[in-house]
Amino acid sequence: MNADDRALYGDITRKGLWENNTALVQLLGLCPLLAVSTSFVNAVSLSLATVLVMALSGGTVAALRTLIPHEIRIPVFILIIAALVTCLDLAFNAWLHDLYLVLGIFIPLIVTNCIVLARVEAFAAKNSPLAAAWDGAAMGVGLLWVLALLGSLRELVGAGTLFGGIDMVIPGAHALQVFGEHYRGLLIAILPPGAFIFLGLLVAARNAWVARAQARASRPPAAAVSA
Amino acid sequence: MSEAADRPDPAPAEPADAIEAPGAAGSALRSAALLGLFTLVFTALMALTQDATREPIRASVEARRLELIAQVLPRADYDNALLEDTVTLPVLPALGLSEPVTVHRARLGGAPVALVFEAQAPDGYSGAVRLLMALRADGTLAGVRVVAHKETPGLGDYIDPAKDRASPKWIAQFAGRDSADGARWTVRKDGGDFAYMTGATISARAVTRAAGRAAAALAPVRDTLFALPAGSSAEPAFR
């Protein structure tokens, strides 16, 4: 891997995880995101399935991009994504059944997530298969950390636990009772409005962070001028 | 790595399209043919995948079903092929389901052990609550499980043992109950025998009553149900 490639993949990673984060910046694909982020385990499960689908569809579309006529690219992209998700769903059900019981309901949901089509159209159609697969994975991981945080917050405030339902993934593991047995939970955090409230707080926190970083970056030259 | 070479590709095919404009009809036909080809290839891919996965999926669905049944009736209690030894019940109001219900008949060494079937409580706090129940040959319940519900998270969902934080689980109190005890099949608040959680009585009441109704409907005909040939309709038992 030469320096040029390293710069490209580093750039893709940084954009996926932070600068162009699907959940915090692009605000794309919020429908499954808000529905599923009621707990840490659900949120991470959906994101993992999304990482897989996005990497796979990005790579496939990029590999076929020279064969796809420009004017019919959208139907072909949708066809490819839907076919891949269907195959993935069947394959999980057949050969990874335990994992399927956890991720299964989320996989068909991914087809409805416009972020997959958005990345295929914006990136995979113009780049090499490897870079496109990497972009899909990076965007997916960007979704993963935000969803994990959102899921944890909602679960913590709503039920007073962390990692509830982990026994579905790791048999024998238990949820953490953070606020003790007697915490009744703030129900709204788990209900749909809670998703909007907590997502809004996360977006605000990111914006504040970025604004502060920019202010700090622009200050030293100004100081130099006045001195 | 050679990706660097084909990476900058900012304006895909657009200028080429403009030049091709005179042959628009030909280009449309070509696009249609390509779209058809893509559809064919990816449909074939899906068909092949479905074919390859059919058998493993059937096997895992069956294993999952047996696992679920094991929650209401221990596996050691029976030795027959539970998924094949079935009779089909007609639509009974007491079961709360609008479709015919399949009853699995568990036997040990040929002797009747229990009937395993689904029922539904129509009056949960937010919609129907679907139950899986096992009724022993002696008329007592082996167990009840909630298999699908929409009760409020953190409030009414304690009827589902996966969400129930109490110990022993709320749903465990069904094991060993006698189906003949008609009036006792409701929550204590209504004069019945069943515990419930304050503030979420409706969910518990719906499940207890539905389980009682279903048990009371099948218990009187259980000997007939065990005697019917496998795969038959249980219509005669209810004449």
Side-chain angles (χ1 to χ4, degrees):
Chain A
M1 197 179 265
N2 59 38
D4 225 22
D5 276 337
R6 209 168 302 141
L8 168 71
Y9 287 96
D11 187 48
I12 294 173
T13 312
R14 202 168 49 249
K15 285 210 168 105
L17 294 188
W18 180 251
E19 283 169 21
N20 226 348
N21 189 291
T22 54
L24 292 182
V25 181
Q26 302 184 64
L27 295 177
L28 273 176
L30 291 185
C31 164
L33 183 147
L34 297 182
V36 160
S37 63
T38 48
S39 73
F40 175 86
V41 171
N42 275 354
V44 169
S45 302
L46 173 81
S47 317
L48 284 178
T50 309
V51 171
L52 208 59
V53 169
M54 287 187 72
L56 214 58
S57 57
T60 312
V61 166
L64 297 173
R65 71 189 188 283
T66 50
L67 301 175
I68 303 171
H70 185 65
E71 58 274 26
I72 56 160
R73 66 191 190 287
I74 300 290
V76 174
F77 293 164
I78 292 175
L79 178 73
I80 292 174
I81 295 169
L84 285 177
V85 171
T86 307
C87 292
L88 200 69
D89 186 60
L90 288 168
F92 261 67
N93 194 348
W95 295 299
L96 295 167
H97 196 70
D98 288 335
L99 197 60
Y100 182 78
L101 292 178
V102 184
L103 296 185
I105 48 167
F106 302 127
I107 296 174
L109 216 62
I110 294 168
V111 183
T112 67
N113 194 336
C114 53
I115 186 65
V116 182
L117 185 63
R119 286 324 288 174
V120 160
E121 161 74 357
F123 194 93
K126 300 162 193 162
N127 288 277
S128 72
L130 201 65
W134 186 259
D135 174 73
M139 284 289 159
V141 175
L143 188 71
L144 185 132
W145 78 259
V146 175
L147 266 189
L149 190 62
L150 191 62
S152 306
L153 283 173
R154 291 181 67 189
E155 188 184 345
L156 195 63
V157 176
T161 62
L162 258 187
F163 311 123
I166 190 95
D167 52 313
M168 287 194 304
V169 189
I170 308 165
H174 285 292
L176 289 177
Q177 286 278 2
V178 180
F179 298 143
E181 284 283 321
H182 299 291
Y183 182 70
R184 297 290 308 238
L186 192 63
L187 198 55
I188 195 170
I190 292 176
L191 297 177
F196 287 102
I197 296 169
F198 281 95
L199 182 68
L201 291 175
L202 286 182
V203 172
R206 185 194 179 277
N207 287 352
W209 176 295
V210 169
R212 226 182 56 180
Q214 275 168 353
R216 197 174 292 163
S218 61
R219 205 171 300 142
V225 168
S226 66
Chain B
M1 256 186 218
S2 65
E3 273 82 34
D6 53 9
R7 175 171 14 111
D9 190 1
E14 233 124 17
D17 283 354
I19 297 162
E20 263 175 23
S27 141
L29 268 182
R30 192 176 145 267
S31 296
L34 266 172
L35 186 56
L37 190 69
F38 270 110
T39 315
L40 210 64
V41 169
F42 280 94
T43 311
L45 182 70
M46 284 189 271
L48 285 177
T49 314
Q50 198 203 4
D51 200 50
T53 52
R54 188 176 296 136
E55 205 34 48
I57 289 178
R58 199 192 53 75
S60 29
V61 166
E62 227 166 63
R64 169 89 188 126
R65 202 155 169 81
L66 282 174
E67 235 168 74
L68 193 67
I69 290 176
Q71 294 187 16
V72 288
L73 185 69
R75 250 172 241 228
D77 285 11
Y78 61 89
D79 60 359
N80 62 330
L82 201 53
L83 296 179
E84 272 102 70
D85 193 354
T86 62
V87 289
T88 309
L89 295 178
V91 176
L92 296 175
L95 293 188
L97 286 162
S98 53
E99 72 263 17
V101 172
T102 303
V103 177
H104 299 281
R105 301 179 296 183
R107 302 170 198 272
L108 188 62
V113 171
L115 299 170
V116 182
F117 54 95
E118 288 195 9
Q120 184 162 284
D123 48 356
Y125 185 72
S126 33
V129 179
R130 202 162 173 124
L131 309 171
L132 180 73
M133 319 178 34
L135 178 68
R136 288 196 187 276
D138 63 4
T140 62
L141 273 194
V144 174
R145 276 294 174 282
V146 171
V147 288
H149 73 92
K150 295 197 222 48
E151 302 305 283
T152 319
L155 206 57
D157 65 351
Y158 65 89
I159 56 171
D160 177 356
K163 303 283 163 61
D164 190 359
R165 285 192 238 151
S167 176
K169 306 281 186 196
W170 177 83
I171 202 89
Q173 58 183 324
F174 285 90
R177 298 276 180 172
D178 192 346
S179 58
D181 266 358
R184 318 297 300 164
W185 280 88
T186 185
V187 290
R188 281 182 198 140
K189 193 178 186 175
D190 302 344
D193 272 350
F194 286 81
Y196 61 96
M197 274 185 213
T198 316
T201 324
I202 293 175
S203 313
R205 181 189 288 141
V207 172
T208 352
R209 287 190 176 166
R213 274 198 303 271
L218 292 200
V221 294
R222 59 184 188 268
D223 296 334
T224 326
L225 290 180
F226 275 115
L228 288 167
S232 70
S233 160
E235 197 99 49
F238 296 94
R239 287 235 177 88

